[in-house]
Each structure stands twice: as C-alpha cells, then as structure tokens.
Amino acid sequence: MLKISELNIGESSPLQTLDPVSRIDLIKYAGASGDYNPIHTIDDTAKQTGLPGIIAHGMWTMGNLSKLFTAYIGEGFVQKYTVRFAGMIFLNDVVTLQAKLIDKKENDLHFEVNATNQKGKAVVMGNVVFRLH
C-alpha cells in the first residue's frame, strides 16, 4: 500500500466507493449521531418537505469522506477538515470518495476531498490538512 507521505502533488489516494446508501445506514447514523430529523428516516415526512424521499445526513457523508485517511493513521492525523455540502444523497445512491494532494508544507499535506454520487455530481467538497508525525 502506498504511504500517504509518498504522494506527489496532483496525485490522489485510491478511490473508495461505498455500498449503495440504505435505510438502515441512515437509521444507524441517526442513532449514533443523535440527529433524528425525520427527513433522514421517514419517507412521508421527507415528501411533505418537498423532497422526493429521505436523504442522507450531510455529516454521514462527511464522516465517510474522512475514511480516506484511516489507512494512514500510522503516519499522522487529520489536523483540519472543512467541507461544503453541494448536493443531496438519496437512498440507493452510490457515493465515491476521493482525496487529491494539492500542496505540501513541511509536515502538512493539503488535500482537496470530494464525494460524488453515481451521476458524477459532487455532493460534498472540502479540504483536509493531514499532519505527518
């Protein structure tokens, strides 16, 4: 496996594609996070708000995006993590995660991160600073 410290500017970590989003994923996340907003778990409520169906929690996606750095925890840690939510994720959407190295400054690796749906639309975009030990 490639070390994160061996990435060159412009290179990306391996893509990670999540299993299709399931209702049980969102119910589990609601329980873990305490975010019981029914637009994430109850179809009728989501539709009453004008949505076509339930949507994933934005923080669920953000949390999954951070998984890109889990394999590299032996080399360092996520020092800073910011995102912007750019779209919604619906049941059965397939989300792909990617991190691209855009800068290196001493022990800090700066990444652009994004999550896209199966149509290639960015749903979460952000930046991560990964600090090497």
Side-chain angles (χ1 to χ4, degrees):
M1 182 176 101
L2 180 70
K3 290 184 171 187
I4 199 167
S5 58
E6 295 173 345
L7 285 174
N8 295 307
I9 294 174
E11 293 182 326
S12 299
S13 65
L15 293 177
Q16 288 188 23
T17 301
L18 305 177
D19 291 335
V21 176
S22 71
R23 184 178 306 275
I24 197 70
D25 290 334
L26 302 181
I27 290 171
K28 286 180 176 178
Y29 185 81
S33 67
D35 181 351
Y36 294 102
N37 186 328
I39 64 169
H40 301 300
T41 56
I42 301 173
D43 292 309
D44 288 344
T45 301
K47 289 177 182 173
Q48 288 171 358
T49 65
L51 296 168
I54 63 174
I55 60 172
H57 306 72
M59 296 300 287
W60 176 87
T61 310
M62 184 179 178
N64 276 296
L65 195 50
S66 70
K67 288 180 182 177
L68 290 170
F69 299 93
T70 303
Y72 307 110
I73 201 68
E75 293 183 72
F77 58 94
V78 173
Q79 173 71 25
K80 185 176 180 183
Y81 184 21
T82 59
V83 299
R84 181 174 72 84
F85 302 106
M88 292 183 271
I89 296 174
F90 300 96
L91 279 182
N92 300 312
D93 276 1
V94 176
V95 178
T96 300
L97 312 170
Q98 184 175 34
K100 179 179 176 183
L101 182 64
I102 57 170
D103 198 12
K104 288 182 174 182
K105 290 182 179 169
E106 298 182 11
N107 288 343
D108 291 341
L109 306 177
H110 297 256
F111 290 89
E112 285 180 349
V113 294
N114 66 70
T116 57
N117 66 15
Q118 68 279 2
K119 296 175 184 171
K121 181 183 183 314
V123 291
V124 176
M125 299 177 288
N127 295 90
V128 167
V129 176
F130 188 89
R131 179 161 289 169
L132 299 171
H133 294 297

